[in-house]
mmCIF file of all heavy atoms in Angstrom:
data_model
loop_
_atom_site.group_PDB
_atom_site.id
_atom_site.type_symbol
_atom_site.label_atom_id
_atom_site.label_comp_id
_atom_site.label_asym_id
_atom_site.label_seq_id
_atom_site.Cartn_x
_atom_site.Cartn_y
_atom_site.Cartn_z
ATOM 1 N N MET A 25 113.455 71.102 94.974
ATOM 2 C CA MET A 25 114.480 71.808 95.561
ATOM 3 C C MET A 25 115.635 71.908 94.630
ATOM 4 O O MET A 25 115.958 70.990 93.852
ATOM 5 C CB MET A 25 114.975 71.195 96.895
ATOM 6 C CG MET A 25 114.051 71.448 98.163
ATOM 7 S SD MET A 25 114.653 70.478 99.618
ATOM 8 C CE MET A 25 116.381 70.871 99.647
ATOM 9 N N ALA A 26 116.372 73.061 94.691
ATOM 10 C CA ALA A 26 117.618 73.202 93.874
ATOM 11 C C ALA A 26 118.639 72.154 94.393
ATOM 12 O O ALA A 26 118.747 71.961 95.659
ATOM 13 C CB ALA A 26 118.112 74.651 93.975
ATOM 14 N N PRO A 27 119.443 71.551 93.563
ATOM 15 C CA PRO A 27 120.449 70.621 94.040
ATOM 16 C C PRO A 27 121.509 71.305 94.931
ATOM 17 O O PRO A 27 122.117 70.621 95.774
ATOM 18 C CB PRO A 27 121.087 70.189 92.761
ATOM 19 C CG PRO A 27 120.832 71.190 91.744
ATOM 20 C CD PRO A 27 119.474 71.838 92.078
ATOM 21 N N TYR A 28 121.802 72.598 94.798
ATOM 22 C CA TYR A 28 122.713 73.371 95.622
ATOM 23 C C TYR A 28 122.008 74.613 96.089
ATOM 24 O O TYR A 28 122.181 75.664 95.414
ATOM 25 C CB TYR A 28 124.120 73.606 94.934
ATOM 26 C CG TYR A 28 124.766 72.427 94.437
ATOM 27 C CD1 TYR A 28 124.720 71.984 93.059
ATOM 28 C CD2 TYR A 28 125.488 71.638 95.294
ATOM 29 C CE1 TYR A 28 125.265 70.804 92.632
ATOM 30 C CE2 TYR A 28 126.205 70.438 94.851
ATOM 31 C CZ TYR A 28 125.987 70.102 93.551
ATOM 32 O OH TYR A 28 126.671 68.919 93.116
ATOM 33 N N PRO A 29 121.234 74.466 97.157
ATOM 34 C CA PRO A 29 120.519 75.749 97.568
ATOM 35 C C PRO A 29 121.414 76.933 97.848
ATOM 36 O O PRO A 29 122.434 76.680 98.498
ATOM 37 C CB PRO A 29 119.745 75.275 98.817
ATOM 38 C CG PRO A 29 120.092 73.808 99.084
ATOM 39 C CD PRO A 29 121.078 73.429 97.940
ATOM 40 N N LEU A 30 121.053 78.115 97.395
ATOM 41 C CA LEU A 30 121.877 79.208 97.693
ATOM 42 C C LEU A 30 121.195 80.135 98.613
ATOM 43 O O LEU A 30 119.900 80.350 98.512
ATOM 44 C CB LEU A 30 122.247 79.982 96.362
ATOM 45 C CG LEU A 30 122.983 79.228 95.312
ATOM 46 C CD1 LEU A 30 123.083 79.916 94.029
ATOM 47 C CD2 LEU A 30 124.374 78.960 95.856
ATOM 48 N N ALA A 31 121.914 80.692 99.598
ATOM 49 C CA ALA A 31 121.289 81.644 100.544
ATOM 50 C C ALA A 31 120.712 82.913 99.808
ATOM 51 O O ALA A 31 121.497 83.357 98.906
ATOM 52 C CB ALA A 31 122.202 81.981 101.616
ATOM 53 N N VAL A 32 119.743 83.451 100.222
ATOM 54 C CA VAL A 32 119.310 84.659 99.610
ATOM 55 C C VAL A 32 120.222 85.808 99.592
ATOM 56 O O VAL A 32 120.404 86.454 98.634
ATOM 57 C CB VAL A 32 117.874 85.175 100.324
ATOM 58 C CG1 VAL A 32 117.463 86.523 99.842
ATOM 59 C CG2 VAL A 32 116.812 84.148 100.005
ATOM 60 N N PRO A 33 120.975 86.062 100.707
ATOM 61 C CA PRO A 33 121.984 87.182 100.698
ATOM 62 C C PRO A 33 123.150 86.876 99.616
ATOM 63 O O PRO A 33 123.496 87.870 99.022
ATOM 64 C CB PRO A 33 122.611 87.148 102.105
ATOM 65 C CG PRO A 33 121.579 86.481 102.987
ATOM 66 C CD PRO A 33 120.791 85.503 102.082
ATOM 67 N N ALA A 34 123.384 85.652 99.398
ATOM 68 C CA ALA A 34 124.474 85.338 98.457
ATOM 69 C C ALA A 34 123.966 85.599 97.092
ATOM 70 O O ALA A 34 124.606 86.221 96.224
ATOM 71 C CB ALA A 34 125.000 83.906 98.479
ATOM 72 N N VAL A 35 122.844 85.208 96.750
ATOM 73 C CA VAL A 35 122.126 85.573 95.460
ATOM 74 C C VAL A 35 122.053 87.052 95.349
ATOM 75 O O VAL A 35 122.319 87.611 94.228
ATOM 76 C CB VAL A 35 120.820 84.783 95.373
ATOM 77 C CG1 VAL A 35 120.047 85.226 94.047
ATOM 78 C CG2 VAL A 35 120.984 83.337 95.434
ATOM 79 N N SER A 36 121.566 87.844 96.330
ATOM 80 C CA SER A 36 121.428 89.262 96.199
ATOM 81 C C SER A 36 122.767 89.876 95.993
ATOM 82 O O SER A 36 122.838 90.745 95.005
ATOM 83 C CB SER A 36 120.795 89.840 97.538
ATOM 84 O OG SER A 36 119.476 89.319 97.641
ATOM 85 N N ALA A 37 123.819 89.386 96.566
ATOM 86 C CA ALA A 37 125.158 90.037 96.376
ATOM 87 C C ALA A 37 125.603 89.664 95.019
ATOM 88 O O ALA A 37 126.132 90.606 94.410
ATOM 89 C CB ALA A 37 126.072 89.475 97.384
ATOM 90 N N ALA A 38 125.460 88.476 94.569
ATOM 91 C CA ALA A 38 125.797 88.197 93.176
ATOM 92 C C ALA A 38 125.021 89.004 92.136
ATOM 93 O O ALA A 38 125.623 89.487 91.162
ATOM 94 C CB ALA A 38 125.562 86.723 92.866
ATOM 95 N N MET A 39 123.737 89.335 92.276
ATOM 96 C CA MET A 39 122.963 90.155 91.364
ATOM 97 C C MET A 39 123.461 91.540 91.470
ATOM 98 O O MET A 39 123.472 92.210 90.372
ATOM 99 C CB MET A 39 121.551 89.986 91.859
ATOM 100 C CG MET A 39 120.943 88.603 91.610
ATOM 101 S SD MET A 39 121.084 87.981 89.984
ATOM 102 C CE MET A 39 120.092 89.079 88.998
ATOM 103 N N ARG A 40 123.834 92.070 92.559
ATOM 104 C CA ARG A 40 124.309 93.438 92.655
ATOM 105 C C ARG A 40 125.614 93.721 91.899
ATOM 106 O O ARG A 40 125.753 94.734 91.246
ATOM 107 C CB ARG A 40 124.410 93.943 94.174
ATOM 108 C CG ARG A 40 123.150 94.326 94.807
ATOM 109 C CD ARG A 40 123.400 94.941 96.102
ATOM 110 N NE ARG A 40 124.353 94.241 97.092
ATOM 111 C CZ ARG A 40 123.917 93.270 97.981
ATOM 112 N NH1 ARG A 40 122.598 93.083 97.918
ATOM 113 N NH2 ARG A 40 124.634 92.715 98.709
ATOM 114 N N VAL A 41 126.546 92.748 91.990
ATOM 115 C CA VAL A 41 127.912 92.866 91.324
ATOM 116 C C VAL A 41 127.715 92.794 89.822
ATOM 117 O O VAL A 41 128.628 93.240 89.164
ATOM 118 C CB VAL A 41 129.007 92.027 91.806
ATOM 119 C CG1 VAL A 41 129.217 92.277 93.368
ATOM 120 C CG2 VAL A 41 128.632 90.505 91.600
ATOM 121 N N THR A 42 126.641 92.277 89.334
ATOM 122 C CA THR A 42 126.425 92.231 87.881
ATOM 123 C C THR A 42 125.773 93.427 87.331
ATOM 124 O O THR A 42 125.720 93.705 86.093
ATOM 125 C CB THR A 42 125.602 90.998 87.487
ATOM 126 O OG1 THR A 42 124.331 91.071 88.061
ATOM 127 C CG2 THR A 42 126.321 89.638 87.891
ATOM 128 N N ASP A 43 125.258 94.366 88.270
ATOM 129 C CA ASP A 43 124.764 95.593 87.825
ATOM 130 C C ASP A 43 125.718 96.382 87.136
ATOM 131 O O ASP A 43 126.980 96.633 87.545
ATOM 132 C CB ASP A 43 124.192 96.256 88.999
ATOM 133 C CG ASP A 43 123.498 97.604 88.745
ATOM 134 O OD1 ASP A 43 122.349 97.517 88.090
ATOM 135 O OD2 ASP A 43 124.028 98.671 88.930
ATOM 136 N N GLU A 44 125.440 97.187 86.040
ATOM 137 C CA GLU A 44 126.388 97.878 85.211
ATOM 138 C C GLU A 44 126.984 98.989 86.069
ATOM 139 O O GLU A 44 128.174 99.359 85.875
ATOM 140 C CB GLU A 44 125.706 98.509 83.974
ATOM 141 C CG GLU A 44 126.552 99.374 83.133
ATOM 142 C CD GLU A 44 127.810 98.463 82.574
ATOM 143 O OE1 GLU A 44 127.629 97.255 82.395
ATOM 144 O OE2 GLU A 44 128.953 99.176 82.531
ATOM 145 N N SER A 45 126.232 99.670 87.000
ATOM 146 C CA SER A 45 126.791 100.795 87.777
ATOM 147 C C SER A 45 127.997 100.201 88.582
ATOM 148 O O SER A 45 129.025 100.849 88.827
ATOM 149 C CB SER A 45 125.803 101.519 88.533
ATOM 150 O OG SER A 45 125.202 100.666 89.499
ATOM 151 N N VAL A 46 127.864 99.024 89.212
ATOM 152 C CA VAL A 46 128.809 98.442 90.076
ATOM 153 C C VAL A 46 130.021 98.010 89.161
ATOM 154 O O VAL A 46 131.203 98.245 89.558
ATOM 155 C CB VAL A 46 128.265 97.259 90.774
ATOM 156 C CG1 VAL A 46 129.349 96.427 91.549
ATOM 157 C CG2 VAL A 46 127.086 97.663 91.782
ATOM 158 N N ARG A 47 129.849 97.448 88.046
ATOM 159 C CA ARG A 47 130.854 97.138 87.131
ATOM 160 C C ARG A 47 131.719 98.254 86.731
ATOM 161 O O ARG A 47 132.851 98.330 86.515
ATOM 162 C CB ARG A 47 130.387 96.340 85.856
ATOM 163 C CG ARG A 47 129.877 94.915 86.367
ATOM 164 C CD ARG A 47 129.268 94.085 85.282
ATOM 165 N NE ARG A 47 129.933 94.174 84.022
ATOM 166 C CZ ARG A 47 129.265 93.873 82.861
ATOM 167 N NH1 ARG A 47 128.007 93.581 82.873
ATOM 168 N NH2 ARG A 47 129.951 94.126 81.732
ATOM 169 N N ARG A 48 130.960 99.458 86.560
ATOM 170 C CA ARG A 48 131.712 100.655 86.090
ATOM 171 C C ARG A 48 132.556 101.080 87.321
ATOM 172 O O ARG A 48 133.699 101.526 87.055
ATOM 173 C CB ARG A 48 130.541 101.733 85.790
ATOM 174 C CG ARG A 48 131.110 103.022 85.130
ATOM 175 C CD ARG A 48 130.119 103.900 84.640
ATOM 176 N NE ARG A 48 128.813 103.862 85.139
ATOM 177 C CZ ARG A 48 127.690 103.275 84.528
ATOM 178 N NH1 ARG A 48 127.853 102.686 83.395
ATOM 179 N NH2 ARG A 48 126.521 103.226 85.273
ATOM 180 N N GLN A 49 131.999 101.057 88.479
ATOM 181 C CA GLN A 49 132.785 101.468 89.689
ATOM 182 C C GLN A 49 134.021 100.518 89.813
ATOM 183 O O GLN A 49 135.124 101.074 90.213
ATOM 184 C CB GLN A 49 132.039 101.314 91.071
ATOM 185 C CG GLN A 49 130.985 102.438 91.100
ATOM 186 C CD GLN A 49 130.067 102.218 92.335
ATOM 187 O OE1 GLN A 49 129.779 100.951 92.718
ATOM 188 N NE2 GLN A 49 129.700 103.234 93.015
ATOM 189 N N GLN A 50 133.879 99.335 89.534
ATOM 190 C CA GLN A 50 134.963 98.355 89.613
ATOM 191 C C GLN A 50 136.041 98.672 88.650
ATOM 192 O O GLN A 50 137.237 98.637 88.902
ATOM 193 C CB GLN A 50 134.541 96.869 89.426
ATOM 194 C CG GLN A 50 133.746 96.326 90.605
ATOM 195 C CD GLN A 50 133.192 94.956 90.323
ATOM 196 O OE1 GLN A 50 132.893 94.663 89.081
ATOM 197 N NE2 GLN A 50 132.800 94.235 91.267
ATOM 198 N N ARG A 51 135.679 98.969 87.391
ATOM 199 C CA ARG A 51 136.677 99.393 86.386
ATOM 200 C C ARG A 51 137.307 100.626 86.780
ATOM 201 O O ARG A 51 138.657 100.657 86.505
ATOM 202 C CB ARG A 51 135.967 99.705 84.993
ATOM 203 C CG ARG A 51 135.499 98.337 84.311
ATOM 204 C CD ARG A 51 135.067 98.517 82.913
ATOM 205 N NE ARG A 51 133.844 99.306 82.815
ATOM 206 C CZ ARG A 51 132.614 98.790 82.817
ATOM 207 N NH1 ARG A 51 132.370 97.543 82.879
ATOM 208 N NH2 ARG A 51 131.504 99.648 82.634
ATOM 209 N N VAL A 52 136.724 101.621 87.397
ATOM 210 C CA VAL A 52 137.401 102.831 87.806
ATOM 211 C C VAL A 52 138.364 102.535 88.890
ATOM 212 O O VAL A 52 139.529 103.008 88.874
ATOM 213 C CB VAL A 52 136.356 103.884 88.384
ATOM 214 C CG1 VAL A 52 137.019 105.016 89.131
ATOM 215 C CG2 VAL A 52 135.518 104.442 87.050
ATOM 216 N N MET A 53 137.956 101.669 89.837
ATOM 217 C CA MET A 53 138.820 101.289 90.867
ATOM 218 C C MET A 53 140.148 100.396 90.374
ATOM 219 O O MET A 53 141.218 100.841 90.833
ATOM 220 C CB MET A 53 138.091 100.326 91.934
ATOM 221 C CG MET A 53 138.884 100.059 93.121
ATOM 222 S SD MET A 53 138.011 98.992 94.376
ATOM 223 C CE MET A 53 137.623 97.577 93.471
ATOM 224 N N ILE A 54 139.926 99.527 89.530
ATOM 225 C CA ILE A 54 140.992 98.850 88.829
ATOM 226 C C ILE A 54 142.026 99.801 88.140
ATOM 227 O O ILE A 54 143.125 99.694 88.283
ATOM 228 C CB ILE A 54 140.508 97.691 88.031
ATOM 229 C CG1 ILE A 54 139.732 96.645 88.765
ATOM 230 C CG2 ILE A 54 141.623 97.166 87.140
ATOM 231 C CD1 ILE A 54 138.992 95.565 87.981
ATOM 232 N N SER A 55 141.431 100.686 87.451
ATOM 233 C CA SER A 55 142.181 101.724 86.686
ATOM 234 C C SER A 55 143.101 102.560 87.773
ATOM 235 O O SER A 55 144.207 102.804 87.420
ATOM 236 C CB SER A 55 141.246 102.607 85.888
ATOM 237 O OG SER A 55 141.994 103.565 85.315
ATOM 238 N N GLU A 56 142.485 102.965 88.823
ATOM 239 C CA GLU A 56 143.166 103.679 89.870
ATOM 240 C C GLU A 56 144.285 102.902 90.441
ATOM 241 O O GLU A 56 145.398 103.284 90.609
ATOM 242 C CB GLU A 56 142.384 104.194 90.930
ATOM 243 C CG GLU A 56 143.032 105.097 91.996
ATOM 244 C CD GLU A 56 142.183 105.649 93.081
ATOM 245 O OE1 GLU A 56 140.957 105.534 92.978
ATOM 246 O OE2 GLU A 56 142.712 106.129 94.037
ATOM 247 N N VAL A 57 144.091 101.564 90.742
ATOM 248 C CA VAL A 57 145.107 100.669 91.230
ATOM 249 C C VAL A 57 146.254 100.471 90.287
ATOM 250 O O VAL A 57 147.281 100.641 90.730
ATOM 251 C CB VAL A 57 144.537 99.287 91.584
ATOM 252 C CG1 VAL A 57 145.646 98.250 91.928
ATOM 253 C CG2 VAL A 57 143.569 99.387 92.855
ATOM 254 N N ILE A 58 145.942 100.443 89.012
ATOM 255 C CA ILE A 58 146.976 100.239 87.982
ATOM 256 C C ILE A 58 147.891 101.429 87.965
ATOM 257 O O ILE A 58 149.085 101.451 87.785
ATOM 258 C CB ILE A 58 146.426 99.916 86.632
ATOM 259 C CG1 ILE A 58 145.809 98.471 86.584
ATOM 260 C CG2 ILE A 58 147.344 100.101 85.428
ATOM 261 C CD1 ILE A 58 144.974 98.100 85.509
ATOM 262 N N GLU A 59 147.174 102.673 87.939
ATOM 263 C CA GLU A 59 147.867 103.948 87.869
ATOM 264 C C GLU A 59 148.784 104.131 89.173
ATOM 265 O O GLU A 59 149.906 104.394 89.040
ATOM 266 C CB GLU A 59 146.913 105.089 87.793
ATOM 267 C CG GLU A 59 147.542 106.476 87.774
ATOM 268 C CD GLU A 59 146.538 107.548 87.811
ATOM 269 O OE1 GLU A 59 145.390 107.410 87.339
ATOM 270 O OE2 GLU A 59 146.912 108.698 88.155
ATOM 271 N N GLN A 60 148.120 103.889 90.204
ATOM 272 C CA GLN A 60 148.975 104.050 91.581
ATOM 273 C C GLN A 60 150.095 103.028 91.642
ATOM 274 O O GLN A 60 151.185 103.347 92.230
ATOM 275 C CB GLN A 60 148.078 103.878 92.740
ATOM 276 C CG GLN A 60 147.138 105.133 92.925
ATOM 277 C CD GLN A 60 147.928 106.509 92.895
ATOM 278 O OE1 GLN A 60 148.781 106.584 93.539
ATOM 279 N NE2 GLN A 60 147.313 107.327 92.064
ATOM 280 N N LYS A 61 149.881 101.782 91.164
ATOM 281 C CA LYS A 61 150.883 100.811 91.210
ATOM 282 C C LYS A 61 152.108 101.289 90.198
ATOM 283 O O LYS A 61 153.216 101.140 90.709
ATOM 284 C CB LYS A 61 150.370 99.537 90.582
ATOM 285 C CG LYS A 61 151.331 98.369 90.677
ATOM 286 C CD LYS A 61 150.627 97.089 90.236
ATOM 287 C CE LYS A 61 151.291 95.853 90.413
ATOM 288 N NZ LYS A 61 150.576 94.694 90.011
ATOM 289 N N SER A 62 151.833 101.856 89.286
ATOM 290 C CA SER A 62 152.853 102.330 88.230
ATOM 291 C C SER A 62 153.734 103.562 88.978
ATOM 292 O O SER A 62 154.938 103.523 88.893
ATOM 293 C CB SER A 62 152.308 102.882 87.020
ATOM 294 O OG SER A 62 153.191 103.468 86.174
ATOM 295 N N VAL A 63 152.893 104.341 89.786
ATOM 296 C CA VAL A 63 153.623 105.522 90.278
ATOM 297 C C VAL A 63 154.538 104.997 91.501
ATOM 298 O O VAL A 63 155.655 105.394 91.594
ATOM 299 C CB VAL A 63 152.618 106.512 90.925
ATOM 300 C CG1 VAL A 63 153.225 107.515 91.941
ATOM 301 C CG2 VAL A 63 151.858 107.205 89.772
ATOM 302 N N LEU A 64 154.065 103.994 92.292
ATOM 303 C CA LEU A 64 154.809 103.518 93.359
ATOM 304 C C LEU A 64 155.978 102.583 92.891
ATOM 305 O O LEU A 64 157.154 102.719 93.315
ATOM 306 C CB LEU A 64 153.916 102.545 94.209
ATOM 307 C CG LEU A 64 154.551 101.923 95.449
ATOM 308 C CD1 LEU A 64 155.216 102.963 96.296
ATOM 309 C CD2 LEU A 64 153.515 101.107 96.196
ATOM 310 N N LEU A 65 155.853 101.812 91.742
ATOM 311 C CA LEU A 65 156.882 101.145 91.169
ATOM 312 C C LEU A 65 157.999 102.026 90.701
ATOM 313 O O LEU A 65 159.163 101.880 90.997
ATOM 314 C CB LEU A 65 156.348 100.332 89.986
ATOM 315 C CG LEU A 65 157.323 99.415 89.366
ATOM 316 C CD1 LEU A 65 157.770 98.431 90.341
ATOM 317 C CD2 LEU A 65 156.578 98.662 88.208
ATOM 318 N N ASP A 66 157.633 103.123 90.119
ATOM 319 C CA ASP A 66 158.576 104.216 89.616
ATOM 320 C C ASP A 66 159.381 104.701 90.897
ATOM 321 O O ASP A 66 160.577 104.828 90.830
ATOM 322 C CB ASP A 66 157.950 105.373 88.985
ATOM 323 C CG ASP A 66 158.894 106.282 88.361
ATOM 324 O OD1 ASP A 66 159.778 105.935 87.617
ATOM 325 O OD2 ASP A 66 158.870 107.581 88.648
ATOM 326 N N CYS A 67 158.734 104.998 91.966
ATOM 327 C CA CYS A 67 159.419 105.574 93.198
ATOM 328 C C CYS A 67 160.320 104.548 93.711
ATOM 329 O O CYS A 67 161.498 104.786 94.133
ATOM 330 C CB CYS A 67 158.287 105.892 94.225
ATOM 331 S SG CYS A 67 158.904 106.315 95.912
ATOM 332 N N LEU A 68 159.861 103.217 93.802
ATOM 333 C CA LEU A 68 160.818 102.109 94.376
ATOM 334 C C LEU A 68 161.998 101.910 93.475
ATOM 335 O O LEU A 68 163.058 101.620 93.973
ATOM 336 C CB LEU A 68 159.946 100.774 94.392
ATOM 337 C CG LEU A 68 158.823 100.825 95.573
ATOM 338 C CD1 LEU A 68 158.020 99.551 95.450
ATOM 339 C CD2 LEU A 68 159.428 101.098 96.913
ATOM 340 N N GLU A 69 161.854 102.122 92.153
ATOM 341 C CA GLU A 69 162.959 101.910 91.259
ATOM 342 C C GLU A 69 164.065 102.923 91.477
ATOM 343 O O GLU A 69 165.283 102.583 91.109
ATOM 344 C CB GLU A 69 162.520 101.883 89.812
ATOM 345 C CG GLU A 69 161.816 100.566 89.530
ATOM 346 C CD GLU A 69 161.171 100.538 88.107
ATOM 347 O OE1 GLU A 69 161.184 101.614 87.485
ATOM 348 O OE2 GLU A 69 160.633 99.453 87.712
ATOM 349 N N HIS A 70 163.743 104.026 92.085
ATOM 350 C CA HIS A 70 164.736 105.101 92.390
ATOM 351 C C HIS A 70 165.243 105.085 93.653
ATOM 352 O O HIS A 70 166.035 105.902 94.055
ATOM 353 C CB HIS A 70 164.099 106.395 91.983
ATOM 354 C CG HIS A 70 163.767 106.628 90.513
ATOM 355 N ND1 HIS A 70 162.656 106.311 90.054
ATOM 356 C CD2 HIS A 70 164.669 107.016 89.524
ATOM 357 C CE1 HIS A 70 162.709 106.540 88.671
ATOM 358 N NE2 HIS A 70 163.953 106.988 88.385
ATOM 359 N N GLN A 71 164.938 104.071 94.515
ATOM 360 C CA GLN A 71 165.468 103.907 95.928
ATOM 361 C C GLN A 71 166.657 103.054 95.939
ATOM 362 O O GLN A 71 166.712 101.973 95.443
ATOM 363 C CB GLN A 71 164.378 103.415 96.814
ATOM 364 C CG GLN A 71 163.105 104.139 96.865
ATOM 365 C CD GLN A 71 163.331 105.605 97.258
ATOM 366 O OE1 GLN A 71 164.140 105.960 98.132
ATOM 367 N NE2 GLN A 71 162.690 106.427 96.480
#
């Protein structure tokens, strides 16, 4: 037995997030958040 057994759903989820297509989606999402944050920050600075 593994010293720290992991549930199959947890292992499956971990394997999915390491997939390149998922990592690409994450980079796009992070880029959008950074862009939108800049836009909102600019708006707030003028209030």
Side-chain angles (χ1 to χ4, degrees):
M25 284 179 48
Y28 301 101
L30 299 172
V32 171
V35 172
S36 296
M39 296 303 291
R40 279 194 307 274
V41 298
T42 61
D43 182 73
E44 182 56 36
S45 65
V46 173
R47 290 177 42 206
R48 192 172 22 258
Q49 288 174 324
Q50 289 171 336
R51 286 191 295 271
V52 168
M53 184 177 62
I54 290 169
S55 177
E56 182 179 348
V57 167
I58 290 169
E59 179 183 337
Q60 291 306 313
K61 186 176 187 176
S62 175
V63 171
L64 181 57
L65 188 59
D66 185 57
C67 173
L68 291 173
E69 287 175 351
H70 291 93
Q71 301 307 316

